[in-house]
Amino acid sequence: MKHASAFAETPMLPLGDPTQITFDRDEVEIVPALPTSKSGKQPSYLADHRKRLRHRFLSGGAAAMPDYEILELTLFRAIPRQDVKPLARLLIETFGDLNGVLSAPIKRLEKVNGVGPAVALELKIMETVTHRMARAKVMQRHVISSWDSVLDYCHTVMAHRDTEQFRVLFLDRKNVLIADEAQGNGTVDHVPVYPREVVKRALELNASALILVHNHPSGDPTPSPEDISMTEQIHDAANALGITLHDHLIIGRSRELSFKSQGLI
C-alpha cells in the first residue's frame, strides 16, 4: 500500500466526526491534518509565513528569493492549509532547480510523495506560462538582433527535457521568426529527423531561412557524428531550394553549442 502523503491538496472535515483529519483526493486516503484553530482556520504561524512570502514577492524581493520559496508560492493554491515548504524543498532536491521541477513529466512529478493531480496541474500551468512568455519575446522579431532571447527561449523549453526534441525556427527573408515548430520527439539519446520533411515545411511556410535546434538530455551539447551528418543533409536539401540554414543549436543543461560558431556549417 502506498504511504499516506503528508500533504493534503483538498482539506475536508467529515461531518459528525470530531477527529481532525483531511482527505487527500490524490492519494484517496485519510491523512492526519495539521492542527487548526477552533474556527477551522490554518495555524497562525502558517498564515503569517505565507503572508510574509507574498509580501516579499510583491514588494520587489522576488529576484532574491530562492527557487524553493517561489515554488512555495505556487503550491499555496494547490495545498491551501498545510506547510508546503518541505514539499517545495523535496521537489527542488529531486529535480535540481525550479526549471527542472516545472519541466518534469507529470508521471515523474506524481512519484514524489505529496504530489498529486492538483499540484502537478499547478506546476504544468506555470511551465506553460513560462514557455509562452519566452516564446513571445522571439516570435515576429528579428532573430539576429534578438539572439540572446532566442537562446533563452531554447534553454527554457528544451534544456531540462529528459528526452531529445528536434525543433525548427523558420525565418522570412528579413530574418524575422515566423514559426517555431517541434518536428520530432525521441528517446534519451536519439530523435528521428527527416530532412525532406524539414525542407517541405519550410516551403509551405514560405520561409527563407532555418535555424535547427535540438537538446541533449545528457547535458553535454557536443554533437554526435549523426548530428553532423543530419545537419549536412538538411543544409544540402535547403540550399538546393534557395533556403539558408543559419545555424544548428544543440542545447545542453547549462550551455549550448552552435554549429556555425564551431565551423560545422
Side-chain angles (χ1 to χ4, degrees), residues 135 153 166-170 179-184 201 205:
R135 191 171 187 268
Y153 169 63
F166 180 76
R167 306 183 73 89
V168 182
L169 308 183
F170 298 93
D180 156 43
E181 297 180 356
Q183 298 290 305
R201 185 58 178 153
L205 293 170

Side-chain angles (χ1 to χ4, degrees), residues 179-198:
D180 156 43
E181 297 180 356
Q183 298 290 305
N185 295 292
T187 63
V188 294
D189 59 3
H190 174 72
V191 60
V193 178
Y194 305 99
R196 181 180 298 177
E197 293 301 315
V198 172

Side-chain angles (χ1 to χ4, degrees), residues 15 35 44 46 155 193 220 224 229:
L15 295 176
S44 59
L46 187 55
H155 275 279
V193 178
D220 180 3
S224 67
S229 175

Side-chain angles (χ1 to χ4, degrees), residues 31 42 44 68 133 172 183 246 255:
V31 297
Q42 58 185 294
S44 59
Y68 79 87
M133 289 182 65
D172 66 12
Q183 298 290 305
H246 280 318
R255 62 188 179 94

Side-chain angles (χ1 to χ4, degrees), residues 4 40 43 54 70 77 82 89 91 125 138 151 161 166 168 185 199 225 249:
R54 290 183 175 118
I70 297 296
R77 291 179 297 180
Q82 296 193 30
R89 287 185 177 275
L91 284 165
I125 289 173
V138 297
L151 294 179
R161 290 181 57 88
F166 180 76
V168 182
N185 295 292
V199 175
L249 300 173

Side-chain angles (χ1 to χ4, degrees), residues 3-12 21-31 79 82 113-117:
H3 292 296
S5 168
F7 304 94
E9 297 185 357
T10 53
M12 298 174 61
I21 59 175
T22 58
F23 184 76
D24 186 334
R25 70 182 177 192
D26 293 341
E27 306 296 329
V28 198
E29 296 180 19
I30 300 298
V31 297
I79 306 176
Q82 296 193 30
N113 191 33
V115 174

Side-chain angles (χ1 to χ4, degrees), residues 221-223 247-248 255-265:
T222 302
D247 208 342
H248 182 176
R255 62 188 179 94
E256 73 284 339
L257 180 139
S258 161
F259 272 53
K260 185 175 183 179
S261 66
Q262 294 295 313
L264 297 173
I265 291 182

Side-chain angles (χ1 to χ4, degrees), residues 92-109:
I92 295 296
E93 179 182 337
T94 302
F95 298 107
D97 57 20
L98 184 58
N99 199 340
V101 174
L102 300 183
S103 301
I106 290 179
K107 289 184 178 180
R108 287 192 63 198
L109 285 170

